[in-house]
């Protein structure tokens, strides 16, 4: 079985500041890792995913995440926050084989003007 | 190309009433999923399907039934609604299991009084 832990249910950053959303995973098999974003009153959409190719994964809207096996982490970053980044972000993990996708509890990102 | 659509968008039920949520996808995906989203709990898998005519239980299946009679449709039924089923329901589909990106519908907000 696998799981993800997202540290911080709410994160606030100033516009133009670094965005860092933390995700740690637990998996007994090589993981596939995902970040999804949910804008208000919408469904989730994929930001980026790691599937055992490059450890630094670039996604949409300037986001990226680095897979660190030694730390079992997949933190999401963006160098400069924009007002349009305000949303809820979900980290998710599945595993090679028959593992289903498991979501974290989400982090709500607020951008301060 | 509409992606994943859900019907209805909103619904209010009284305890004991029944209803069916409809999910449709036009991407020819084999895999389809039903999730519920509750504050602070992320997304939890209710049921899923790995192909036409197949269904399987997820993490929180009690009180729900599903059917996948056609590849493009996945129905979620509540036979006797309870207040604990008040939630936002999301349907998703994917091309492959595990590493496959899941594409989400816009959600159905259900309130059970």
């Amino acid at each position: 079985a696998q799981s993800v832990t997202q540290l911080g249910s709410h994160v606030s950053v100033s516009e133009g500041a670094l965005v860092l959303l933390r995700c740690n995973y637990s998996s007994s098999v090589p993981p596939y890792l995902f970040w999804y974003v949910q804008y208000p009153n919408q469904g989730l959409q994929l930001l980026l995913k790691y599937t055992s190719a490059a450890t630094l994964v670039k996604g949409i809207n300037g986001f990226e995440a680095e897979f660190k096996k030694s730390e079992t982490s997949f933190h999401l970053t963006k160098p400069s926050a924009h007002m349009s980044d305000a949303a809820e972000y979900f980290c998710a993990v599945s595993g090679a084989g028959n593992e289903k996708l498991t979501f974290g509890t989400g982090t709500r990102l607020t951008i301060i003007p | 190309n509409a992606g994943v659509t859900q019907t209805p968008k909103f619904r209010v039920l009284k305890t004991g009433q029944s209803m069916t949520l409809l999910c449709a996808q036009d991407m020819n995906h084999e895999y389809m999923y039903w999730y519920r989203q509750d504050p602070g709990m992320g997304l939890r898998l209710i049921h899923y399907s790995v192909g036409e005519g197949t269904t399987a239980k997820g993490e929180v299946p009690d009180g729900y039934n599903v059917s996948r009679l056609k590849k493009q449709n996945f129905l979620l039924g509540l036979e006797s609604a309870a207040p604990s089923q008040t939630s936002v329901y999301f349907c998703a589909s994917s091309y492959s299991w595990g590493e496959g990106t899941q594409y989400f519908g816009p959600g159905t907000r259900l309130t059970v009084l």
Side-chain angles (χ1 to χ4, degrees), chain A residues 21-79:
Chain A
L21 304 182
R22 300 178 187 273
C23 172
N24 287 89
Y25 70 91
S26 170
S27 178
S28 57
V29 295
Y32 302 122
L33 292 157
F34 305 78
W35 277 100
Y36 283 85
V37 61
Q38 184 181 30
Y39 298 105
N41 299 313
Q42 295 186 25
L44 280 71
Q45 62 185 81
L46 183 72
L47 264 182
L48 49 81
K49 68 178 179 181
Y50 166 78
T51 57
S52 76
T55 56
L56 182 62
V57 182
K58 295 188 183 298
I60 61 172
N61 300 336
F63 284 93
E64 63 182 36
E66 186 172 8
F67 172 67
K68 292 187 176 180
K69 184 177 180 180
S70 61
E71 299 177 8
T72 61
S73 68
F74 191 57
H75 301 331
L76 182 71
T77 61
K78 181 174 180 178

Side-chain angles (χ1 to χ4, degrees), chain B residues 64-78:
Chain B
Y64 305 95
N65 56 76
V66 288
S67 64
R68 183 107 180 261
L69 299 180
K70 294 182 178 181
K71 186 177 184 178
Q72 64 268 34
N73 295 338
F74 195 29
L75 278 63
L76 177 71
L78 286 72

